[in-house]
Amino acid sequence: NLGEPVCELELGTIPASDPDILEKLKLCPALTGAQRDALNALLLSGATAYGDPSSWDLQTLQDLGPLVLALNQTMLGLVGKAAREDFRSSIAAAYLSQGRSQRGKSLILLRALAAASAAARPRLKRSSGRCESKLVTANNIEDIPYISAEELDLCLSSEVLIENLEAVLELPVTTESLQVLKKKVDEVYPSGIPEEQLRRLGQLSHLYTEQEISQWPVTSNDTLTALLSSSGELWEDSQVQQLFKRYLALGGSWTGPLLQEIGGEFLCKLQEEQIQQIPSGAIGTAGQLNISSCSQTKKELLYGRAREAFASLASTPGPYYCRIRPYLGGAPAEDLKDLANAGVTNMDQDTFLALNPQEFQKLSVTDVKNLLGKNLPELKKAEHEPWVVSWVQRQFQRELDCVLGIGLEGGLPDPTGTSPATATSRVTTPTT
């Protein structure tokens, strides 16, 4: 990695390095606190290609690339107001099309820029209790990411918020501002949020406690899926568990389309007891679910349900494998051996790597060969995985060479008294 030596520089070394050091630092996955301090000191000196911070414009901030995440409030405060505002606008414009990781970085920048702008303005008089800047209306809600949470509380009415809730919640607002928005929504509905309004909560929904969720009128699949999809990865497991508990308590039921809609990620957030309540019929009509984020115990529970769901296909190995494949991370060795003997799997790398490592240790060399089929080279690619190394060390090296022939090393020597001819004969006979 070109940037690796630079990424290990100590505090004090960065300012003394050549001017090109900043370009190399951009390659680092992350900077330490000391490195960030040194970086800010170097930029503050103005002795870089970027010049004095007070002269920076939008292009300069964009040219800094990932280093802009390391700028402290002092540095950002030196940047001209127009450049800061242009930069915030460019971040906000790109926010909705960004992935999860990039959105997180964008929020860090927006918060830092908001803090720098707030520090440059006179403090609001808290005792006034009224908006002393521009009121937020339907015509200027796009300004919300650029004002402080304190201003938002005073300058945005609950009525304007409710009327424009979806548009407001599409904006990249800070956590502090989201808390203000939640408070205003709760003020509008002191007796509880109606179901049709729950569907509009968007990224606010994950701010509600388990106790609050337990009072929600979640009676339809549409409400349930709208809530889950709006906050995505922000939901805690306990919140998801409470949400489903409430939905089922109000008469909801598990169906294949519902499981397909919520996906394996949320399925894995459920309690083991809740997974046990899912009928096999629902699993059977759910389509392909990705349960890779589940614990091993949950994978095993889901596999058991899937095995029941697809039992009628057991006599046709090809179709059976296609349906059971997403759940094989929970399969015992005995079932994997049955699939291997059927010889129809050609197991792909993702499915292979998701198998239970402990159960994999119980498979023979021939079992593994038959499971992988034409994808046997994938085993070579995974040879450094700890559980693959452990499996290889349990097998005879001659068997690995003669049956697999993909160059795996580290197996056991032939057992004492076994001639090469006998060993070869033994390993080329499929295990029964």
Side-chain angles (χ1 to χ4, degrees):
N1 186 330
L2 180 60
E4 189 171 350
V6 177
C7 299
E8 297 175 357
L9 287 177
E10 297 293 331
L11 177 63
T13 307
I14 291 177
S17 300
D18 65 272
D20 293 334
I21 191 70
L22 297 183
E23 299 309 306
K24 297 175 182 176
L25 284 173
K26 290 179 182 179
L27 301 174
C28 301
L31 299 179
T32 66
Q35 288 173 328
R36 291 161 69 99
D37 291 341
L39 171 65
N40 279 278
L42 177 58
L43 290 169
L44 188 60
S45 72
T48 72
Y50 299 98
D52 190 279
S54 62
S55 68
W56 290 357
D57 57 13
L58 172 61
Q59 189 60 54
T60 311
L61 290 166
Q62 291 175 335
D63 288 345
L64 280 166
L67 297 183
V68 77
L69 288 165
L71 300 182
N72 58 30
Q73 187 174 320
T74 300
M75 282 293 302
L76 289 171
L78 294 173
V79 179
K81 178 181 178 182
R84 282 201 311 265
E85 293 303 317
D86 287 346
F87 192 42
R88 284 208 291 183
S89 296
S90 69
I91 296 170
Y95 181 81
L96 292 178
S97 62
Q98 292 172 342
R100 178 191 310 180
S101 175
Q102 190 57 44
R103 277 195 176 193
K105 294 176 181 177
S106 292
L107 282 177
I108 291 173
L109 276 174
L110 286 168
R111 289 168 183 157
L113 289 164
S117 295
R121 291 196 303 267
R123 298 286 297 174
L124 286 173
K125 294 180 180 179
R126 291 178 178 273
S127 59
S128 69
R130 59 188 176 86
C131 177
E132 297 191 1
S133 57
K134 190 176 181 180
L135 285 171
V136 178
T137 68
N139 296 324
N140 64 356
I141 57 173
E142 67 275 4
D143 293 339
I144 287 177
Y146 310 134
I147 62 178
S148 68
E150 182 182 4
E151 287 179 287
L152 187 63
D153 194 13
L154 296 174
C155 300
L156 173 65
S157 70
S158 297
E159 291 74 21
V160 169
L161 173 60
I162 295 300
E163 289 174 6
N164 302 276
L165 190 59
E166 288 87 354
V168 171
L169 293 176
E170 283 186 350
L171 300 171
V173 296
T174 64
T175 301
E176 293 79 9
S177 293
L178 280 177
Q179 291 287 358
V180 170
L181 299 178
K182 175 184 181 296
K183 184 191 77 168
K184 289 182 177 294
V185 169
D186 292 342
E187 287 172 351
V188 175
Y189 304 110
S191 300
I193 304 174
E195 184 163 18
E196 63 271 16
Q197 299 300 324
L198 283 178
R199 301 172 193 169
R200 304 178 64 211
L201 283 183
Q203 56 178 319
L204 283 185
S205 57
H206 80 279
L207 297 178
Y208 285 80
T209 65
E210 294 171 47
Q211 177 58 36
E212 290 172 316
I213 293 171
S214 72
Q215 303 301 312
W216 281 354
V218 186
T219 65
S220 75
N221 289 8
D222 289 343
T223 303
L224 183 67
T225 54
L227 285 165
L228 290 173
S229 62
S230 60
S231 280
E233 71 282 356
L234 298 173
W235 282 95
E236 297 290 340
D237 290 7
S238 58
Q239 292 174 303
V240 174
Q241 292 161 9
Q242 183 61 61
L243 185 61
F244 276 97
K245 182 178 180 181
R246 180 62 172 165
Y247 165 73
L248 294 169
L250 293 178
S253 61
W254 291 111
T255 65
L258 175 61
L259 291 177
Q260 190 172 47
E261 186 72 24
I262 66 172
E265 179 184 357
F266 287 115
L267 196 58
C268 291
K269 289 179 178 288
L270 297 178
Q271 294 173 319
E272 293 171 9
E273 293 77 9
Q274 290 176 306
I275 290 177
Q276 287 176 317
Q277 295 170 4
I278 300 175
S280 59
I283 294 288
T285 55
Q288 301 283 310
L289 295 176
N290 182 354
I291 62 168
S292 59
S293 61
C294 285
S295 68
Q296 187 57 48
T297 301
K298 291 177 182 178
K299 287 179 181 178
E300 291 168 7
L301 289 173
L302 287 167
Y303 173 77
R305 285 286 181 267
R307 197 170 184 271
E308 292 176 18
F310 308 129
S312 62
L313 297 174
S315 60
T316 53
Y320 177 74
Y321 173 72
C322 288
R323 302 298 296 275
I324 201 74
R325 182 184 60 78
Y327 306 95
L328 289 177
E334 293 76 11
D335 289 6
L336 295 174
K337 285 176 178 289
D338 288 342
L339 286 173
N341 290 333
V344 296
T345 58
N346 291 315
M347 186 176 286
D348 60 278
Q349 185 182 37
D350 289 343
T351 304
F352 166 66
L353 293 177
L355 296 177
N356 183 346
Q358 293 184 344
E359 296 301 311
F360 182 76
Q361 304 303 311
K362 303 173 185 177
L363 301 180
S364 71
V365 173
T366 302
D367 289 335
V368 172
K369 178 183 180 181
N370 291 340
L371 273 179
L372 291 171
K374 66 180 183 181
N375 292 324
L376 183 59
E378 299 297 336
L379 179 60
K380 176 66 176 176
K381 295 178 184 178
E383 66 178 328
H384 298 300
E385 293 284 341
W387 54 280
V388 174
V389 172
S390 177
W391 177 80
V392 167
Q393 292 173 344
R394 294 167 180 253
Q395 315 306 318
F396 290 120
Q397 184 61 49
R398 177 175 290 276
E399 202 167 358
L400 294 170
D401 293 339
C402 296
V403 177
L404 301 184
I406 56 175
L408 293 182
E409 300 290 342
L412 297 168
D414 291 336
T416 304
T418 303
S419 68
T422 305
T424 301
S425 173
R426 177 176 64 82
V427 301
T428 53
T429 303
T431 303
T432 57

